[in-house]
Amino acid sequence: MIPIAWYLIFSAALFCIGLFGALARKNAVAILMGIELMLNAVNVNLIAFWHYYAQIHSRPYVHGLAFTTMVFVVAAAEVAVGLALVISAYRRRQTPVVDELTLLKG
Amino acid sequence: MTVETLVVFIPLMPLLAFFAIVLFTHRNNAVSHWLALIGAGLAWLLSMVVFGRAIQTEDLSQHPFAAAIQWLPTGSTGLEIGIQIDPLSAVTLFFVAWTVLMIFIYSIGYHNFGQPKGEHDRPGLPPHGAEIQDAHGHKHRVPSIEPMYARFFALISLFAFAMFLLVVTDNLLTLYVGWEIMGLCSYLLIGFWYGKESARNAMIKAFLTTRVGDVFMLLGLAALYSLTGTLNYQAILNNPVVLNGLASANSPLAGISWAGLIGILLFVGTIGKSAQFPLHIWLPDAMEGPTPVSAMIHAATMVSAGVYLVIRFFPLLSTGWDGHHLTLPMLLMGGIGAFTALFAATIALAQNDIKRVLAYSTISQLGYMIAALGVGAYVAAAFHLITHAFFKALLFLGSGSVIHGMEHGVLHTGEKIDPQNMLFMGGLRHKMPITFWTFLAGGLALSGFPLITAGFWSKDEILSGAYASGQLLIFWVLALAALLTAFYTMRQITLTFLGKPRSQSAEHAQESRPVMTAPLVVLSFFAITVGWVGIPQYFPLIGGILPNWFEEFVGSMLLSPAEKAHHSLLPLITSLVVALGGLLLGWLAYRKVFQPFDPLEKPLGGVYTLLRNKYYVDEIYQWAFIRPARWLAETLTDRWLDRTIIDGVLHSLGNFGMWLGKTLRQWIDLPVINGAGDLTASGTRNIGTYLRSLQSGRVQLYATVGLGLVAAVAILIYFLWVIG
């Protein structure tokens, strides 16, 4: 059986890639993609912890799976809203670059 | 209607006219003067009806026409307002109604009704005259209508109301009300031409001077009310119990009974109103008003009110008088009256203004009446009051007519002379015959021309009364005054009407319109005939042909008629001599005046100057009262008390406050409170300035910062809790 640490290291790596993408990419669509990566890293974590937890207790728990499914739903909704926002911002500003969307500058 | 109801309506008529003119018709001259005339005319008609009823009533003095209603409840007692017609008020009503009506009619002409408006006339100044063009294209200057014509009629209507009120009332309080309204009207009418400074000064002088007397009178009134609980004439004057009670009660002033004190206080009111020495100074200056006002207020009616008051209160003034020893108020009246009679007569000798001569003669004649009361000649005083009202109204209106004629001449010739100065007149008898003959009748009545004129009979009675009372000093002073009266009256007549004109204007003088001369004729009729109702029984030859109605009628007012005096021919001879002698001397001295210069000025020298300047009484008052009062007001109160002490205290208080405020501001407000406030504001702003650089609007930077913070917190937690 694959030790849990491998899953966690993979998940952490995935999360860091997503975090880097969200912070460093200029394109709003790429930022959204980075966020998706971070969400999926979390999903990997959740599934991994659920799998080991269920095996240790030898019981057929499903709450890890349900949690992950919820995350998918939320992520899908987030992508739908996020992409709509990005398209709307693009239509107004003719740019997908978030550095130029500084309306909230103090 | 009962006669009492009629009496109530007498004063109401002019009052209604006053309100109607003031409120509704003051823009229309004709309607206004008709309203005033109708008011005065109805009052006259009612007065005549009432007078007719009064003289037919038996025993009127004991049972006068009277009616009263409750007016002011004052605790346990109450003041009533009511009317009362007894013999004294009946005869007063008679002469007031006649003179008022005549003066109203005369005023129409005097104020040039029907003449064009003057180009330069404006309210508050006498009319200057207007330029008109006749059919041939010639330009003339003619008199112009008074700019405030309606206002004049409103004011004299109010004045007539007050005088009628004063006459018909039955108590002292209402009398005082009428008295004060007349004071107000006098003030307003003296200052009728308020554009002239002299008129303004005169109006204030008249008001203040009479006010001095009024205050004392009010004190007397209050004392009388507090002692007797009533101000009704009948209840006080017809009631021996009350009179004796007042006479025997001691007043706070040592040696004077309450009757004496109240009498003196009321008499001081008379001194003010009837212009007796030392409060006589206002009356000559009152000649600043239009001449009808001088006639009405300052000769016929208002000044008569003062004499009327003391005649009315003679029973109180003379309580305790046994026919030999005069009471204190009587002594005072005798002294002041006789002195004023002589004093004013001497001043009149040296006056050149036709109206001023008459003003001083009014003062002198009023002094006569007061002196008559002082020696107990009650009926004679009332008699002289009435005859004087008629002939003095006549003389004033006549002088107004003369002035009018002279003004006509002045307008015609354009001369720069005073149209009231007698020295510029002369020869007017040809130009103004009606005015001359009526003025002559009035003048002779004033000087007491024997037998035919009214003034002779009343003056003769006063002289014989003074002689009979044993007050020989008063008798001789009055006789001397009568001599001077005749002298200055003749001087006036001679300078004005006789001889030759002494100026261009006098040559071009013109007789006044019939509306002015008709009242003169009516009044001159009375100036002669009114004396015949009081011819004494004892008079040689003609005594007893006509009954001495007046003495019976008015004399019944006294509870105990004075004992018939012992008659002597000396006063009669004296009055004949002084009247005729004075007239003769006056004619001799002034018949040959050809230049506008008084022939007596040189021989009399300093005396003339003294008289000319009215014994410098005005200057003495200026020095003794007005300057100290001004000093008190300007220097003591204003400069020292007010500006130095009070202002000083206030200013130092203010300065201390300023200092305190500045200090607090400098040391507490500015550093502490303002500093804290400013610091809060600037600190917030500085923090904001620092923080705003974080707010770049770049989402990824926020996220990075968030990440860094999370990392820092995580490290902190790790070191604090996990390891520590």
Side-chain angles (χ1 to χ4, degrees):
Chain A
M1 203 167 85
I2 303 167
I4 192 169
W6 291 24
Y7 291 104
L8 295 184
I9 288 166
F10 166 70
S11 168
L14 192 61
F15 186 86
C16 286
I17 293 167
L19 183 60
F20 177 78
L23 291 182
R25 298 301 297 247
K26 289 188 186 300
N27 195 315
V29 180
I31 291 170
L32 274 179
M33 289 163 68
I35 292 170
E36 287 305 314
L37 278 184
M38 288 193 281
L39 285 171
N40 283 326
V42 173
N43 282 345
V44 171
N45 255 11
L46 282 171
I47 295 295
F49 281 123
W50 165 74
H51 180 70
Y52 281 90
Y53 187 76
Q55 291 218 335
I56 289 166
H57 292 275
S58 312
R59 303 276 294 272
Y61 289 130
V62 292
H63 45 292
L65 294 174
F67 209 126
T68 312
T69 313
M70 291 297 284
V71 173
F72 281 146
V73 172
V74 170
E78 181 243 312
V79 167
V81 174
L83 279 177
L85 278 172
V86 170
I87 289 165
S88 173
Y90 180 76
R91 281 190 183 150
R92 279 175 187 276
R93 295 295 191 93
Q94 309 297 329
T95 174
V97 179
V98 285
D99 279 1
E100 292 170 22
L101 302 175
T102 55
L103 259 183
L104 283 177
K105 183 177 176 172
Chain B
M1 270 201 284
T2 62
V3 67
E4 284 83 6
T5 322
L6 294 181
V7 174
V8 173
F9 277 102
I10 294 174
L12 276 183
M13 291 301 158
L15 183 68
L16 289 177
F18 164 72
F19 280 118
I21 296 172
V22 167
L23 294 178
F24 304 114
T25 70
H26 59 95
R27 291 185 191 285
N28 189 322
N29 289 340
V31 175
S32 297
H33 82 220
W34 275 114
L35 276 174
L37 272 188
I38 290 168
L42 286 175
W44 171 82
L45 193 68
L46 292 171
S47 303
M48 289 307 117
V49 172
V50 169
F51 180 72
R53 292 281 296 275
I55 57 176
Q56 289 162 12
T57 308
E58 291 277 318
D59 212 10
L60 185 68
S61 54
Q62 294 309 311
H63 306 286
F65 305 146
I69 52 167
Q70 285 293 329
W71 184 24
L72 296 174
T74 56
S76 53
T77 57
L79 287 169
E80 289 191 331
I81 186 170
I83 52 104
Q84 173 182 332
I85 297 293
D86 52 20
L88 178 61
S89 34
V91 293
T92 314
L93 198 57
F94 178 80
F95 84 75
V96 169
W98 272 104
T99 47
V100 161
L101 183 65
M102 288 306 124
I103 291 161
F104 272 55
I105 295 172
Y106 178 91
S107 303
I108 296 175
Y110 185 81
H111 286 304
N112 298 322
F113 181 73
Q115 297 282 3
K117 271 189 180 170
E119 310 87 32
H120 307 297
D121 289 354
R122 57 185 187 81
L125 285 175
H128 297 83
E131 199 157 84
I132 55 163
Q133 219 165 2
D134 62 12
H136 306 290
H138 296 297
K139 284 188 176 172
H140 298 284
R141 282 201 73 75
V142 294
S144 56
I145 188 168
E146 163 62 42
M148 297 190 297
Y149 188 81
R151 174 189 162 108
F152 180 83
F153 279 92
L155 289 178
I156 55 170
S157 292
L158 180 65
F159 173 79
F161 155 71
M163 188 67 200
F164 281 123
L165 178 72
L166 184 144
V167 176
V168 302
T169 181
D170 71 342
N171 65 74
L172 189 56
L173 189 66
T174 329
L175 181 141
Y176 189 72
V177 172
W179 180 281
E180 290 297 348
I181 296 176
M182 283 199 288
L184 168 74
C185 290
S186 172
Y187 168 82
L188 289 172
L189 285 166
I190 293 169
F192 185 68
W193 288 320
Y194 53 78
K196 295 196 291 185
E197 193 184 353
S198 54
R200 284 201 300 275
N201 292 339
M203 77 201 270
I204 294 167
K205 187 174 179 181
F207 197 75
L208 290 182
T209 316
T210 48
R211 186 121 292 274
V212 174
D214 293 350
V215 171
F216 285 100
M217 180 181 165
L218 190 59
L219 286 178
L221 191 152
L224 194 59
Y225 184 69
S226 62
L227 287 175
T228 63
T230 178
L231 289 172
N232 186 285
Y233 297 153
Q234 292 292 90
I236 297 170
L237 303 175
N238 239 350
N239 191 342
V241 181
V242 172
L243 288 180
N244 291 332
L246 286 174
S248 53
N250 279 327
S251 75
L253 288 182
I256 304 178
S257 68
W258 268 114
L261 183 65
I262 292 170
I264 290 171
L265 288 172
L266 292 180
F267 175 55
V268 176
T270 296
I271 290 181
K273 204 62 153 186
S274 291
Q276 295 299 291
F277 184 84
L279 297 181
H280 65 281
I281 47 163
W282 66 271
L283 202 142
D285 288 33
M287 298 302 128
E288 288 292 336
T291 303
V293 172
S294 311
M296 173 144 166
I297 298 186
H298 309 120
T301 53
M302 188 180 93
V303 291
S304 301
V307 180
Y308 174 80
L309 173 74
V310 280
I311 295 177
R312 171 62 78 189
F313 275 81
F314 184 69
L316 177 72
L317 295 163
S318 64
T319 358
W321 176 50
D322 54 3
H324 298 289
H325 298 93
L326 300 180
T327 60
L328 188 68
M330 288 174 80
L331 209 58
L332 200 64
M333 285 198 289
I336 289 187
F339 177 73
T340 310
L342 183 62
F343 175 80
T346 54
I347 298 178
L349 294 176
Q351 300 301 315
N352 291 331
D353 185 311
I354 187 167
K355 278 171 78 180
R356 276 187 180 260
V357 175
L358 293 175
Y360 280 106
S361 100
T362 303
I363 297 174
S364 166
Q365 297 302 307
L366 293 169
Y368 246 85
M369 300 169 208
I370 303 283
L373 277 179
V375 297
Y378 176 82
V379 176
F383 195 21
H384 199 56
L385 177 68
I386 290 153
T387 57
H388 171 259
F390 279 115
F391 64 65
K392 193 48 67 68
L394 168 62
L395 285 172
F396 262 110
L397 295 186
S399 76
S401 174
V402 168
I403 294 166
H404 230 233
M406 284 297 288
E407 274 173 352
H408 187 275
V410 168
L411 283 178
H412 188 85
T413 58
E415 258 183 319
K416 296 271 180 251
I417 58 164
D418 177 8
Q420 304 196 6
N421 193 332
M422 297 190 296
L423 296 175
F424 293 114
M425 298 179 187
L428 289 180
R429 71 183 181 283
H430 301 300
K431 304 285 178 192
M432 314 177 76
I434 303 176
T435 306
F436 167 61
W437 285 108
T438 52
F439 198 94
L440 186 68
L444 291 182
L446 170 62
S447 38
F449 190 79
L451 302 184
I452 52 171
T453 62
F456 169 72
W457 298 109
S458 53
K459 211 176 267 192
D460 176 55
E461 264 197 64
I462 291 179
L463 284 175
S464 69
Y467 186 76
S469 76
Q471 303 294 324
L472 286 184
L473 181 65
I474 292 180
F475 170 75
W476 286 114
V477 168
L478 290 182
L480 185 57
L483 178 77
L484 294 177
T485 306
F487 181 81
Y488 68 68
T489 308
M490 201 57 202
R491 168 182 184 259
Q492 187 174 34
I493 292 172
T494 314
L495 283 179
T496 309
F497 291 103
L498 306 181
K500 296 261 182 297
R502 283 181 297 275
S503 70
Q504 290 280 316
S505 304
E507 272 179 43
H508 289 93
Q510 203 182 40
E511 179 63 290
S512 305
R513 295 147 69 189
V515 72
M516 288 170 75
T517 50
L520 296 180
V521 175
V522 173
L523 287 174
S524 63
F525 170 75
F526 284 111
I528 291 178
T529 57
V530 139
W532 298 345
V533 300
I535 298 176
Q537 299 280 346
Y538 59 85
F539 199 82
L541 299 177
I542 59 168
I545 296 175
L546 290 169
N548 191 350
W549 169 82
F550 192 85
E551 179 156 350
E552 277 176 31
F553 189 58
V554 177
S556 66
M557 289 287 293
L558 292 182
L559 284 177
S560 51
E563 55 178 294
K564 287 284 172 207
H566 161 72
H567 293 297
S568 152
L569 279 184
L570 181 71
L572 174 61
I573 294 168
T574 314
S575 77
L576 283 174
V577 167
V578 294
L580 292 174
L583 289 171
L584 185 67
L585 286 175
W587 184 68
L588 287 177
Y590 286 95
R591 76 203 150 109
K592 286 187 178 149
V593 180
F594 301 114
Q595 295 300 319
F597 192 73
D598 194 320
L600 288 192
E601 191 168 342
K602 267 214 178 109
L604 286 179
V607 178
Y608 189 87
T609 320
L610 184 69
L611 296 180
R612 191 66 207 278
N613 292 297
K614 311 142 202 167
Y615 293 101
Y616 297 99
V617 174
D618 277 340
E619 284 76 6
I620 292 169
Y621 284 179
Q622 188 80 27
W623 179 81
F625 297 110
I626 299 174
R627 281 192 37 201
R630 291 189 78 104
W631 178 85
L632 198 72
E634 285 177 357
T635 310
L636 185 74
T637 339
D638 182 48
R639 193 176 307 156
W640 294 352
L641 269 180
D642 211 38
R643 278 197 254 163
T644 310
I645 299 179
I646 297 181
D647 279 10
V649 170
L650 290 179
H651 283 166
S652 40
L653 271 181
N655 286 338
F656 174 72
M658 293 275 284
W659 173 84
L660 191 69
K662 268 186 186 159
T663 314
L664 287 178
R665 176 179 156 77
Q666 205 171 352
W667 296 105
I668 294 182
D669 203 40
L670 282 182
V672 179
I673 297 176
N674 277 15
D678 287 354
L679 200 65
T680 312
S682 64
T684 313
R685 208 181 65 184
N686 289 342
I687 293 171
T689 312
Y690 291 133
L691 288 181
R692 69 180 279 217
S693 57
L694 290 176
Q695 189 87 359
S696 64
R698 291 159 66 176
V699 190
Q700 288 167 311
L701 186 65
Y702 300 164
T704 315
V705 170
L707 182 66
L709 284 177
V710 168
V713 170
I715 291 165
L716 205 62
I717 289 171
Y718 178 77
F719 280 108
L720 284 182
W721 280 288
V722 179
I723 297 176

